[in-house]
Amino acid sequence: MLPDNFLTFLLKAKKNTYASGKPADSSSRPASHDLTYVDEPFLYIDSYLGGYAFVGEEAVWYSGIPIWGMNYYGKMLNHEIPDGFSDFLKSALLQVPRDLPFRGPVEYAEGVFLYQCKSSGDLSRFKGEESILLYGNPIYRLDFHGGEIVQ
């Protein structure tokens, strides 16, 4: 069972790492991008490999014990990353909803971009996908899944 204040911590961690534009911390593995957020007794680490196509994991520890995790794989669907794409994705991820705290909101639009996220499950076990459209055409997709970790 996740601690009572887990959700509050998770939302804070997500908003203060990749989505915030925070630069990566030192790499834990060759070529990895690692972002860490600590608010004792919690520790959150988001670690990913790649850029145009990438794979990663978010994990949370409570007093040194792993309690929650999410794996993801994302990829651009066109040959070039459009100007403003990264900033738009970060803006969408800053909107992470309390009732679906996995990625961004169900839908978010800004300028020529549209973000969409579908998921099923809850914090204990979930899966979903996000996509970004440019002028109505899909240019990016990410699949994710995860849940509670019990020793």
Side-chain angles (χ1 to χ4, degrees):
M1 179 168 226
L2 296 168
D4 290 339
N5 51 352
F6 170 76
L7 179 57
T8 299
F9 170 79
L10 181 64
L11 294 170
K12 239 166 93 174
K14 286 178 172 279
K15 291 178 180 180
N16 284 284
T17 49
Y18 179 80
S20 74
K22 173 188 182 221
D25 302 319
S26 60
S27 183
S28 64
R29 300 169 290 162
S32 71
H33 308 275
D34 299 349
L35 296 116
T36 304
Y37 184 79
V38 179
D39 187 358
E40 293 290 343
F42 290 102
L43 165 64
Y44 166 95
I45 300 174
D46 179 5
S47 181
Y48 66 96
L49 303 166
Y52 182 85
F54 57 94
V55 63
E57 176 184 70
E58 295 178 24
V60 176
W61 289 258
Y62 183 80
S63 297
I65 298 169
I67 60 168
W68 184 88
M70 177 177 75
N71 298 107
Y72 56 87
Y73 174 77
K75 183 176 183 179
M76 296 300 298
L77 303 176
N78 60 344
H79 296 292
E80 293 182 19
I81 299 175
D83 289 341
F85 172 84
S86 294
D87 289 339
F88 171 75
L89 175 57
K90 289 173 184 172
S91 292
L93 296 178
L94 282 172
Q95 313 302 316
V96 59
R98 189 169 186 81
D99 60 334
L100 299 168
F102 313 121
R103 294 288 292 171
V106 171
E107 195 164 282
Y108 176 75
E110 189 178 291
V112 297
F113 294 105
L114 173 65
Y115 172 94
Q116 297 175 321
C117 186
K118 298 180 221 171
S119 63
S120 62
D122 59 26
L123 280 171
S124 65
R125 184 175 181 191
F126 60 89
K127 64 181 178 178
E129 66 180 55
E130 73 181 10
S131 58
I132 294 181
L133 290 77
L134 174 66
Y135 298 112
N137 299 309
I139 60 166
Y140 160 88
R141 179 170 174 199
L142 178 137
D143 296 303
F144 60 89
H145 67 274
E148 183 177 25
I149 299 169
V150 179
Q151 297 293 324

